[in-house]
Amino acid sequence: QSISRLIAPNLQIKGTIAFMSGEVMNGRYELTDSTHEQRLSGFTHHAVHDVESFFWVLLYICLTSKGPGGARREELDHVAHPDEYTKGLRHAISCLFDARWQSIASNKLQVMKSEDLFESKVLPYIHNYFEPLKDLLRKWRALLLSAHKFHLLEHDTIHNLTLELLEEASRKVKETS
């Protein structure tokens, strides 16, 4: 049996586990405002879940790479770098991308729900090269949370708002270069 059958037997899940939305992994709405949740029957994979996957990909790159070309950060070698900062970095990566299925889903949902958790346990570990993208990540997380909370089903809405955030970040990076 596939792992998706074991976790969510009534849901066909395809994709890379590390980059999936916590809701998709659990096969249920968990970030939806309670007034909207009552109108929803069953779980459906929506555009917001796909956009969230791109968010997790970017975050993973910002945490694990040291700049262009995708070179792996030296700090990820726990033997050569046993300090507290790198322990925190490895912990953030493990919790969000490398743990067991249920843990990844739960941790992603917690990070989406808690700005404080995102600010204190994730953003401090973004590689310095990607520092200019922290504001994008903050805004993108907030947009995703809002889209989940109010169940923005319109595909164009989440795509257009995400594109606006990406274009804004691109302009800012160009201005500082």
Side-chain angles (χ1 to χ4, degrees), residues 19-24 30-32 48-49 51-56 59 96 104-119 122 137-149 158:
F19 307 122
M20 285 182 183
S21 163
E23 285 191 341
V24 169
E30 298 187 45
L31 300 170
T32 305
V48 66
H49 299 114
V51 172
E52 184 181 340
S53 289
F54 284 107
F55 168 84
W56 294 116
L59 183 60
L96 295 172
I104 292 173
S106 175
N107 293 331
K108 285 182 176 181
L109 290 165
Q110 288 178 38
V111 164
M112 291 304 287
K113 290 176 186 177
S114 172
E115 182 178 355
D116 290 340
L117 190 62
F118 186 62
E119 288 288 337
V122 179
L137 290 165
R138 284 182 184 102
K139 289 179 180 179
W140 200 353
R141 184 198 141 276
L143 171 64
L144 289 166
L145 184 58
S146 180
H148 281 296
K149 184 176 181 180
I158 190 63

Side-chain angles (χ1 to χ4, degrees), residues 130-158:
F130 298 106
E131 184 74 27
L133 298 181
K134 280 186 177 179
D135 192 45
L136 166 65
L137 290 165
R138 284 182 184 102
K139 289 179 180 179
W140 200 353
R141 184 198 141 276
L143 171 64
L144 289 166
L145 184 58
S146 180
H148 281 296
K149 184 176 181 180
F150 298 110
H151 211 67
L152 299 177
L153 298 178
E154 300 85 5
H155 296 265
D156 290 344
T157 301
I158 190 63

Side-chain angles (χ1 to χ4, degrees), residues 5-169:
R5 282 275 176 225
L6 295 172
I7 302 302
N10 297 324
L11 186 65
Q12 284 293 335
I13 298 175
K14 300 208 185 290
T16 304
I17 292 170
F19 307 122
M20 285 182 183
S21 163
E23 285 191 341
V24 169
M25 293 175 79
N26 285 339
R28 64 181 176 266
Y29 298 112
E30 298 187 45
L31 300 170
T32 305
D33 180 86
S34 61
T35 59
H36 292 81
E37 192 174 337
Q38 294 167 359
R39 295 184 300 131
L40 306 171
S41 59
F43 179 81
T44 304
H45 183 135
H46 290 288
V48 66
H49 299 114
D50 294 331
V51 172
E52 184 181 340
S53 289
F54 284 107
F55 168 84
W56 294 116
V57 169
L58 178 61
L59 183 60
Y60 181 82
I61 291 168
C62 292
L63 290 170
T64 62
S65 301
K66 64 178 182 179
R72 185 173 165 83
R73 292 174 71 169
E74 291 88 4
E75 302 98 316
L76 296 176
D77 178 357
H78 68 280
V79 175
H81 299 275
D83 60 89
E84 290 304 311
Y85 174 83
T86 54
K87 286 179 186 175
L89 167 64
R90 290 190 305 272
H91 182 71
I93 294 166
S94 175
C95 287
L96 295 172
F97 303 104
D98 295 335
R100 291 181 333 224
W101 174 285
Q102 297 93 336
S103 295
I104 292 173
S106 175
N107 293 331
K108 285 182 176 181
L109 290 165
Q110 288 178 38
V111 164
M112 291 304 287
K113 290 176 186 177
S114 172
E115 182 178 355
D116 290 340
L117 190 62
F118 186 62
E119 288 288 337
S120 66
K121 301 293 184 187
V122 179
L123 285 185
Y125 301 106
I126 299 293
H127 189 274
N128 290 340
Y129 178 82
F130 298 106
E131 184 74 27
L133 298 181
K134 280 186 177 179
D135 192 45
L136 166 65
L137 290 165
R138 284 182 184 102
K139 289 179 180 179
W140 200 353
R141 184 198 141 276
L143 171 64
L144 289 166
L145 184 58
S146 180
H148 281 296
K149 184 176 181 180
F150 298 110
H151 211 67
L152 299 177
L153 298 178
E154 300 85 5
H155 296 265
D156 290 344
T157 301
I158 190 63
H159 289 136
N160 289 339
L161 293 173
T162 300
L163 287 174
E164 287 175 18
L165 286 178
L166 294 171
E167 288 168 1
E168 175 188 339

